[in-house]
Structures are given as structure tokens and as C-alpha cells.
Amino acid sequence: MDNRVNSELIRVESLTKIYHLGEVKVVALRGVSFEVKGGDFLAIMGPSGSGKSTLMNIIGCLDRPTSGQYLLEGTEVSKLDKKQLAYIRNKKIGFVFQMFNLLPRTTAMENVELPLLYSNVPTKKRNRLAEESLALVGLAGRKMHYTHQLSGGEQQRVAIARALVNNPSIILADEPTGNVDSQSGAEIMEIFEKLNNEKKITIILVTHDLEISKFAKKMILFRDGEIVKREIIKD
Ligand code: ADP
Ligand code: MG
């Protein structure tokens, strides 16, 4: 996967997802189709329960749809085996979550190095890459801070540095500003904007905040598991 701008990166066609909870059937996605090109910055909006996280989990290869197609760079994801999916999750996609998900009692550096440990990168290179990633999010001066010594906004920036450390071509961020104050939220969005503009990383961001969505280039609006609106915010 590369960062070629404007080539088709993601295409989903008639995606559905049904959760079965005993007798209860929850239809989370009811036929969702859209395309994401390399270099896009897409905001997915919609009220709570409209299926945004369900869609992100499928795009991130963390879950499978009930029906429909998901093509990642032209490859049908349902045809990939566990090993190939794990490779995509580790190397191609960076994840950022609402709750930061950093390890406690661990420094910023160690948190960022974690994805590199899984791929057996030698210590020196690990340190260098983690430092570069932390510098990209403006936290070079916080590398030895433990998780609890960082503000919420800083923790989220460490999480972004961790998502970046394997040089992904896509970042998936599910409500990344949902647990930080508005000033930190704006700083986080400026980082995403820079990664998109300068590094050509494709960004898919879930938010219910209109101000946050304005940082994106395109927007799709969800309601009850369906896309009800598509908008180009800027080119
Ligand atoms: P959003 O992220 O837009 O708030 P979700 O994708 O989390 O929405 O949820 C969409 C719908 O699917 C909701 O009605 C939710 O209760 C249901 N849902 C989500 N995850 C599960 C699950 N693992 N099992 C059962 N139902 C789920
Ligand atoms: Mg959600």
C-alpha cells in the first residue's frame, strides 16, 4: 500500500452488519457504499448508535461485515487470512481511539515503541522511530513522562505517535477529541491536518462535533446505519 494521492484506496459496497444478541437482532449497517481515495481526509458524522464505530471496525479489519464488499486497494478483504489481516492492522493502518488506550506505568516512548516490539525492530531503531513520531506530534519534550503525568490532550498525541510509528498509509480515528478539552481537540486536529497535507496520510475520522469535522476535506453523515448526506468540505 502506498500514499498515492487520488488512487482508490478503500471501496465499500452495500455493506451490512447485523448483531445477534440472543433473540434480538440489531441492524447496525444497512447497505453502506462509499469510496476513499489516497490522500482523502474524511469525517464520518452522525448521532450515537448510527453505526459509525461498526463501520470503522470493519474498515480497520477488526470485524467483518454481515454482507457486502470491502475492497482495500482493490483486494477483497474477506478473502484475506488471519496473518494477512494482522499485517494490515499492524503496518498499514494506525488506530486512534477516544479513550487513548495507553498503557499505565509506561513512558510515552515505551507506549509509542509498542507496535515495533511486535515486529522485532531492534532497540536502537525502535528508539529513533519513537522519538521521530513523538516529535511529529510536538511531544519531543515529554518522552520520559509516564502516562499519568500527561494531560488528556498529550495522552492522545502519544496515541497518535504510536499510530504513526509504523508509517501507516491510513489513520482511523474514532472520536479522537471526544475526551479532551476544545483547545486540545483543536491541537489534535491540526496534527491530523498536517499528517494529511504533508505526509499524504489518508485519514478517516469519526466525530459528532461539527467544528471538528471542518478540519476534514469530505464528510458523510450517518443515520440509523445509512448514509444520509455526502459533502465536500474543501479540496
Ligand atoms: P456509533 O459508533 O455511531 O455510536 P455503533 O456502531 O457503536 O454506533 O453502534 C451501532 C448499533 O449497533 C447500536 O445500536 C449498537 O447498540 C449496536 N452494536 C454495536 N456494537 C455491538 C455489538 N458488539 N453487539 C451488539 N450490538 C452492537
Ligand atoms: Mg462509536
Side-chain angles (χ1 to χ4, degrees):
M1 214 181 285
D2 58 29
N3 296 350
R4 261 177 311 168
V5 173
N6 279 332
S7 61
E8 180 187 291
L9 190 57
I10 285 168
R11 188 150 60 87
V12 301
E13 293 273 5
S14 313
L15 221 56
T16 74
K17 181 71 183 182
I18 300 169
Y19 294 109
H20 293 276
L21 292 172
E23 300 284 284
V24 182
K25 197 172 106 176
V26 179
V27 185
L29 296 176
R30 21 184 121 235
V32 169
S33 305
F34 67 93
E35 190 189 292
V36 178
K37 292 195 163 100
D40 272 356
F41 187 167
L42 174 69
I44 298 176
M45 299 196 70
S48 180
S50 58
K52 307 182 299 295
S53 293
T54 299
L55 175 69
M56 290 291 263
N57 290 341
I58 293 170
I59 293 175
C61 303
L62 299 165
D63 200 359
R64 289 177 184 279
T66 304
S67 68
Q69 276 195 309
Y70 169 22
L71 289 108
L72 185 57
E73 279 208 321
T75 301
E76 174 56 65
V77 169
S78 67
K79 299 212 163 69
L80 301 177
D81 63 28
K82 272 190 176 163
K83 213 174 150 186
Q84 290 168 311
L85 291 172
Y87 179 83
I88 290 172
R89 284 193 299 261
N90 190 28
K91 302 274 190 179
K92 302 300 173 193
I93 301 176
F95 294 92
V96 180
F97 303 97
Q98 181 171 358
M99 304 300 290
F100 323 140
N101 297 4
L102 299 183
L103 295 178
R105 294 180 296 280
T106 305
T107 64
M109 271 282 274
E110 290 166 338
N111 269 291
V112 175
E113 284 182 21
L114 205 64
L116 302 171
L117 275 177
Y118 296 133
S119 36
N120 295 318
V121 176
T123 314
K124 262 200 174 148
K125 188 174 178 192
R126 231 166 47 217
N127 294 343
R128 179 174 60 77
L129 292 173
E131 281 179 358
E132 286 173 9
S133 258
L134 281 168
L136 269 178
V137 300
L139 286 181
R142 296 284 187 280
K143 63 183 184 182
M144 298 318 283
H145 276 55
Y146 285 84
T147 299
H148 72 272
Q149 297 169 328
L150 298 163
S151 72
E154 287 170 340
Q155 288 188 40
Q156 190 61 300
R157 278 148 68 196
V158 172
I160 295 169
R162 180 183 56 189
L164 285 172
V165 78
N166 265 324
N167 197 23
S169 39
I170 306 172
I171 286 184
L172 300 181
D174 194 344
E175 306 263 14
T177 61
N179 271 334
V180 302
D181 60 89
S182 57
Q183 170 64 29
S184 302
E187 281 168 19
I188 287 164
M189 294 313 297
E190 281 160 19
I191 290 169
F192 285 135
E193 203 169 42
K194 182 176 82 175
L195 295 172
N196 179 248
N197 282 335
E198 293 173 16
K199 297 203 158 259
K200 308 299 173 204
I201 297 176
T202 304
I203 296 173
I204 305 178
L205 162 97
V206 166
T207 182
H208 56 253
D209 184 335
L210 193 62
E211 289 307 309
I212 292 295
S213 73
K214 287 176 184 162
F215 285 86
K217 293 174 178 163
K218 295 178 184 170
M219 188 278 294
I220 57 182
L221 178 65
F222 267 74
R223 190 156 299 149
D224 293 332
E226 282 176 313
I227 297 176
V228 293
K229 191 174 170 187
R230 300 165 197 258
E231 216 173 80
I232 291 177
I233 301 171
K234 54 185 169 238
D235 282 320

